[in-house]
Amino acid sequence: MDTAEKLDKNASGRNHAEEPMIDLEEQPMQETRYPEHTVGTPFVDDPKMRLRDVDVFYGDNQAIHKVSLDIGKNEVVALIGPSGCGKSTFLRSLNRMNDTIDICRVTGELFLEDQDLYDPKMDVVELRARVGMVFQKPNPFPKSIYDNVAYGPRLHGLANKKYELDEIVETSLRKAGLWDEVKDRLHAPGTGLSGGQQQRLCIARTIAVSPEVVLMDEPCSALDPIATAKIEELIDELTESYTIAIVTHSMQQAARVSNRTAYFHLGRLIEVNDTETVFTKPEHELTEAYITGRFG
Amino acid sequence: MSKTTEQVRKSLARRYRAERRFRAYGIISIAIGLAALAILFTDIIGKGHSAFFEHYIKLDITFNEQTLDIEDARDPEQLNYGNYDGIVREALKTRFPEVTERLQVRELSALMSIGAGYELRDLLRENPEWLGTTQTLWLLADDDVDLFLKAGEKGREDSRMSAEQKAWITELEAAGDTERRFNASFFSSGDSREPELAGIWSAVVGSFFTMLVTLCLSFPIGVAAAIYLEEFAPRNRFTDFIEVNINNLAAVPSIIFGLLGLAIFINLFGVPRSVPVLGGLVLTLMTLPTIIITSRASIKTVPPSIREAAMGLGASRMQVVLHHVLPLALPGMLTGAIIGMAQALGETAPLLLIGMVAFIVDIPTGPLDASTVLPVQIYLWADSPEQSFVAMTSAAIMVLLAFLIAMNTLAVVLRKRLERRW
């Protein structure tokens, strides 16, 4: 695990996809063949998001190879894998955050229910209101706690009256488990909170727009164990109303919070299964090698 | 003791010496800079402080109807054409009855400033009942008299006044009929051929209008260009080309911008010469690169995570810029703009080419009135033959420096105030 975290630190801030792990190739695993198809059960009935043959390119560099996966309603899907395996890239293509990178290109079928995400007619503003995102580093706006949470609803005109907005802010903060800690200082700057509180504030900000899917990109990597535990608890509660896809480096975290786990390796989706199956009887040798800590 | 420790100890002394030397270089550099600044200020203040004062002479003025050729002091027409110099001359002749010769009388009347006559006219306009009476008044002395009175022993010997004139002044001084007063007209009047009447106000107003035009044009254009280049423009050869050229523009000598203004604004577009609008246009060209470069730098300091957060909530690119990037980058942009403005305020060369080097007596009332600016006024005075203009030049430099220091201080204070800590 230590190695995993170290690698995580090294890789953070860099472009995962452009730097496949050289170390891995030097290890005695060269005979391992990538499976023709993802092993396990990547598909579910009546999914929230249906993703087929997704390829992501950075210029000429292919970061994601033919990934097919379903994300079911109200379930938590954990995306795990060694640094640079493309899980963050994949996650960011689910609400088109990759659009901001000029050289990034996404192909394949990506559907949110029956809507094609990359349809030219699809509006990114609407998409991002439906598929929210929580980032690796807590990034509250340098505004008050209230304004942080109210930003999304204001942006989309979700509340016309002051009291409606107040209500949205309160429920969002309550859902994020932050209300009791900040109710007396809603107008203090959000940047003055502790790291864990900031991340919960970011979650409150995301769910204030009532998205259908929440994408989380290593939400706990910058937090201490206590703050992490709080966020994990929160993720559990959020499943009641939201569908969640979470990228994580901590296998314990994946085991604790997710219903299904997807293992990525060098841009390929190797195995998807119930979390329990992945961690107790992995089907593919690469998955097994990773979860038993043979490489990180 | 191991071998490594021994080696390290040996090299330590040398290392510390090198470090001390390194620190000394920095301190010496700062000392040189401060010394240069101190010399500059002492020189300017030493030369210029006397220009903030001028001398007045006490005279008993008789508002004689015949000499003045005024019958009714309430008639503005008559007031305008009154022979005020005549009553000043008569007052001087009464003060020094021994002077009768024509040439001497002329020398005697040269003691008073031409401005004394205008002052008497204004006094008579306010007090028409003074016509026919005698009043004891303090009147402005000529600049040579002023210099003589300000000078020390040696300076008095070197004065270019005649021996008789010196004697008269010394007599007046001994009788307590001369007085040093604050030179208010220096701050309230326009340029003049007479140093004792000349002031910087027309140049200050001209500078103000020019800066106003420059700020109104260069800040919005510069900020818009910076935002587009940073947030929207694709990264390709064309934008690289633009970036290189913006940096080039920042390095172009300012006189070139003056030639450009002459060729384009005056000859092609027919903008009138010598007006603040034209000066503002030329200085805008000059300030733009500075504002664009500093604005881009301050946009770059806005962390990308803020942009991502806003974008992840469904904000459009414009909303990201308006709600988050601009408010966070604004302090830096303002600082850049103020520094650019300070640079433009001190700019002379391009303005000489577009006719802002004119002799302006009237205070400009708007950006379309012919005017001059502070640095050009300094240039003009530095070129004038009268000795009094030496002090005036330094005094004007002090005023300009005061404005520059105020603007730069404002920039620093703004940055400190508005800077956000992450």
Side-chain angles (χ1 to χ4, degrees), chain B residues 98-109 164 168:
Chain B
E98 71 278 10
V99 179
T100 47
E101 215 179 305
R102 252 184 89 106
L103 209 65
Q104 279 188 315
V105 171
R106 193 182 294 167
E107 279 193 344
L108 185 62
S109 37
E164 282 116 326
W168 295 326

Side-chain angles (χ1 to χ4, degrees), chain A residues 92 95 97 100 102 124-125 128-129 131-133 135 137 139-143 148 151-152 155-156 191 205-206 209, chain B residues 232-235 303-317 319-320 323-324 327-328 420-422:
Chain A
R92 290 167 66 93
N95 72 343
M97 284 301 280
T100 51
D102 287 337
V124 266
V125 170
R128 288 178 190 156
V131 183
M133 187 149 192
F135 297 85
K137 237 180 77 188
N139 54 357
F141 300 128
K143 301 177 182 226
N148 259 288
Y151 183 71
L155 204 60
H156 300 294
T191 40
R205 182 176 67 185
T206 307
V209 241
Chain B
F232 296 97
R235 298 265 176 278
S305 64
I306 296 292
R307 293 189 183 84
E308 281 197 326
M311 219 128 49
L313 285 170
S316 69
R317 271 182 155 184
Q319 286 169 325
V320 172
H323 298 167
H324 300 285
L328 292 176
R420 248 174 233 284
R421 280 166 195 87
W422 302 98

Side-chain angles (χ1 to χ4, degrees), chain B residues 169-244:
Chain B
I169 300 168
T170 324
E171 195 187 325
L172 282 170
E173 197 184 13
D177 289 345
T178 61
E179 195 180 65
R180 206 167 96 116
R181 291 189 188 173
F182 180 66
N183 186 357
S185 68
F186 180 73
F187 294 101
S188 62
S189 55
D191 199 5
S192 169
R193 298 262 177 247
E194 306 298 323
E196 73 273 14
L197 297 177
I200 52 162
W201 188 240
S202 67
V204 169
V205 174
S207 271
F208 171 74
F209 284 128
T210 309
M211 287 301 106
L212 195 68
V213 173
T214 311
L215 184 69
C216 290
L217 289 174
S218 62
F219 190 62
I221 296 176
V223 167
I227 288 177
Y228 179 77
L229 286 173
E230 270 314 306
E231 298 286 324
F232 296 97
R235 298 265 176 278
N236 56 26
R237 276 206 200 135
F238 184 63
T239 42
D240 285 347
F241 177 74
I242 290 177
E243 178 152 11
V244 168

